[in-house]
């Protein structure tokens, strides 16, 4: 299976630059995975396809304003830091650019001096291990001086930071948003609960690897990035009860999907768990937990379009993507959604 198999042509003007208002008025493609049939709806119509006894599993991670700009103490040169993963309170793995200005031992200052750091180590992939120093809570400082780490294909400035957060975001730790969840409003979630659909939460902190291209020709040779997840006992019990009663487990986003499938693959069942996962799902994978998937439209040749193809079938997905291009759907993080059922 080649990476190039997952290529599709996408005109640049279809890459969504700003979010839709209100959130649930984006377009929604319904893809029936058994038949390949496609329907065209609005996201708020999702409730027409849910049934009492189903459960939605949402990723409640919260994005850190993780892009900050530091001034080199020695020279005043400016370096961009993107915080990727917290190793301890003030020790973080970061992407720095330009990297040649961030050698081991180099010190930087941020903002008006609220934050300082020193480069402690350089990893094999070029990422830096950074030790920060600040008097206040580092997350409070980041909220003041940091910018949202929008993907490189979004050129427009985000006017409201909260539009790159889901309405149910809670646990800080992501370098990117779980974008399938951006379409939900609080009112829509209330409507879903009132119709007898249960809602459960997992946490998976999304890393930069989400946006890294697959650089090998043979899909099976790709090394997947690792991300940290938490499965609460309450959510595990909800999933098991849903399965027992014949309801569907509906994953909201590929991040929730990777969490559920990681636990099911490791333990053979769904249970409370906390771990790192580097699961790579591509066609041929046998799903062990999810029954339906809500997701956005993903980049060509990405691990995410491979995951979706594994779930809905390669031919169905590539046809759906080509249809979406033809019908001028909006793509990627702020784009439209697909419900695969």
């Amino acid at each position: 299976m080649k990476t190039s198999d997952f290529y599709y042509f996408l005109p640049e003007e279809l890459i969504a630059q700003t979010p839709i208002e209100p959130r649930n008025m984006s377009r929604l493609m319904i893809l029936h995975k058994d038949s390949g049939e496609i329907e065209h709806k609005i996201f708020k119509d999702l409730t027409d396809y849910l049934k009492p006894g189903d459960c939605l599993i949402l990723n409640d991670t919260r994005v850190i304003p993780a892009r900050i700009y530091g001034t080199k103490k020695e020279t005043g040169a400016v370096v961009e830091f993107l915080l990727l993963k917290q190793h301890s309170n003030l020790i973080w793995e970061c992407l720095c650019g330009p990297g040649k200005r961030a050698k081991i031992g180099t010190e930087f200052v941020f903002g008006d001096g609220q934050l300082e750091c020193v480069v402690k180590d350089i990893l094999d992939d070029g990422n830096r291990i950074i030790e920060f120093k600040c008097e206040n809570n580092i997350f409070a400082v980041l909220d003041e001086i940091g910018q949202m780490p929008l993907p490189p294909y979004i050129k427009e400035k985000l006017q409201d930071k909260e539009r790159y957060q889901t309405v149910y975001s809670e646990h800080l730790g992501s370098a990117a948003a779980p974008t399938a969840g951006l379409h939900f409003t609080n009112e829509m979630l209330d409507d879903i609960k009132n119709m007898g659909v249960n809602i459960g939460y997992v946490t998976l902190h999304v890393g930069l690897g989400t946006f890294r291209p697959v650089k090998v020709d043979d899909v099976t040779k790709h090394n997947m990035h690792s991300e940290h997840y938490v499965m609460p006992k309450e959510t595990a019990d909800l999933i098991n009860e849903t399965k027992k009663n014949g309801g569907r487990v509906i994953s909201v986003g590929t991040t929730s999907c990777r969490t559920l499938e990681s636990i099911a693959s490791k333990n053979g069942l769904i249970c409370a768990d906390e771990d790192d996962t580097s699961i790579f799902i591509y066609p041929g994978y046998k799903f062990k937990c999810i029954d339906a998937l809500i997701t956005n439209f993903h980049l060509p040749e990405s691990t995410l379009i491979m995951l979706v193809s594994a779930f809905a079938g390669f031919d169905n997905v590539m046809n759906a993507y080509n249809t979406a291009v033809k019908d001028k759907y909006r793509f990627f993080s702020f784009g439209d959604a697909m419900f695969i059922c």
Side-chain angles (χ1 to χ4, degrees):
M1 186 178 304
K2 293 185 176 181
T3 300
S4 58
D5 293 338
F6 297 90
Y7 177 80
Y8 65 93
F9 173 71
L10 180 69
E12 190 172 344
E13 63 267 21
L14 296 185
I15 300 174
Q17 295 296 313
T18 55
I20 287 285
E21 293 291 349
R23 291 173 182 254
N24 63 351
M25 287 302 291
S26 58
R27 295 173 72 184
L28 177 68
M29 177 183 285
I30 308 294
L31 174 59
H32 299 270
K33 63 187 177 70
D34 291 337
S35 66
E37 179 191 351
I38 290 171
E39 299 178 67
H40 303 283
K41 300 290 182 178
I42 301 297
F43 193 82
K44 65 182 181 63
D45 298 329
L46 175 69
T47 52
D48 294 340
Y49 295 85
L50 303 179
K51 305 169 187 173
D54 288 342
C55 74
L56 290 182
I57 303 300
L58 312 176
N59 181 6
D60 63 7
T61 188
R62 187 165 173 82
V63 184
I64 305 164
R67 180 171 279 119
I68 56 177
Y69 293 88
T71 303
K72 196 172 177 179
K73 280 189 175 181
E74 289 180 352
T75 66
V78 175
V79 172
E80 178 185 300
F81 289 71
L82 183 60
L83 282 67
L84 300 178
K85 188 174 183 180
Q86 187 176 28
H87 288 204
S88 64
N89 181 33
L90 294 174
I91 304 293
W92 288 75
E93 183 177 336
C94 298
L95 181 66
C96 300
K100 63 184 179 182
R101 293 180 179 171
K103 295 181 172 65
I104 293 175
T106 309
E107 297 181 330
F108 293 87
V109 62
F110 303 84
D112 295 324
Q114 303 106 304
L115 189 66
E116 296 185 8
C117 82
V118 60
V119 180
K120 302 296 287 185
D121 198 8
I122 301 176
L123 303 180
D124 291 342
D125 60 4
N127 290 350
R128 269 58 174 173
I129 299 299
I130 305 294
E131 182 177 5
F132 289 99
K133 181 172 69 174
C134 63
E135 294 183 2
N136 300 317
N137 180 293
I138 189 169
F139 291 111
V141 175
L142 290 173
D143 196 50
E144 183 179 340
I145 68 172
Q147 299 177 15
M148 277 299 176
L150 295 179
Y153 48 73
I154 294 179
K155 313 298 183 187
E156 297 271 341
K157 183 174 175 60
L158 184 64
Q159 299 302 316
D160 177 6
K161 285 183 182 180
E162 283 302 308
R163 286 305 274 109
Y164 196 56
Q165 307 278 14
T166 62
V167 296
Y168 48 81
S169 64
E170 183 174 357
H171 301 291
L172 277 165
S174 275
T179 55
L182 294 178
H183 304 280
F184 287 95
T185 64
N186 284 314
E187 293 76 16
M188 186 171 174
L189 289 172
D190 288 341
D191 289 343
I192 288 170
K193 291 176 190 173
N194 290 335
M195 61 183 289
V197 176
N198 295 303
I199 294 178
Y201 297 92
V202 296
T203 305
L204 182 136
H205 293 316
V206 189
L208 190 68
T210 296
F211 304 110
R212 282 191 172 141
V214 178
K215 294 183 177 179
V216 292
D217 291 332
D218 182 350
V219 166
T220 63
K221 305 296 184 187
H222 176 66
N223 290 321
M224 194 69 174
H225 59 286
S226 177
E227 295 167 319
H228 190 73
Y229 69 80
V230 178
M231 164 66 79
K233 182 178 185 302
E234 179 182 8
T235 304
D237 290 345
L238 171 61
I239 292 169
N240 290 325
E241 190 68 17
T242 299
K243 289 284 193 184
K244 177 183 172 184
N245 293 333
R248 295 177 299 172
V249 174
I250 301 170
S251 173
V252 177
T254 56
T255 58
S256 297
C257 171
R258 293 180 70 241
T259 302
L260 299 178
E261 294 298 320
S262 294
I263 295 168
S265 296
K266 182 171 77 169
N267 298 317
L269 72 167
I270 298 298
C271 57
D273 194 24
E274 179 173 0
D275 204 349
D276 292 338
T277 179
S278 56
I279 190 171
F280 180 21
I281 298 175
Y282 53 87
Y285 176 85
K286 302 299 183 187
F287 284 81
K288 302 166 183 64
C289 181
I290 75 166
D291 301 298
L293 175 66
I294 299 168
T295 186
N296 279 21
F297 291 91
H298 304 294
L299 277 72
E301 301 183 336
S302 65
T303 61
L304 302 182
I305 194 173
M306 294 173 189
L307 182 155
V308 174
S309 297
F311 184 66
F314 174 81
D315 291 338
N316 287 344
V317 168
M318 299 313 292
N319 177 59
Y321 270 65
N322 289 322
T323 299
V325 170
K326 180 172 65 73
D327 288 355
K328 296 188 172 4
Y329 275 67
R330 302 168 79 244
F331 279 68
F332 306 161
S333 297
F334 287 141
D336 296 317
M338 177 188 290
F339 180 42
I340 305 171
C341 56

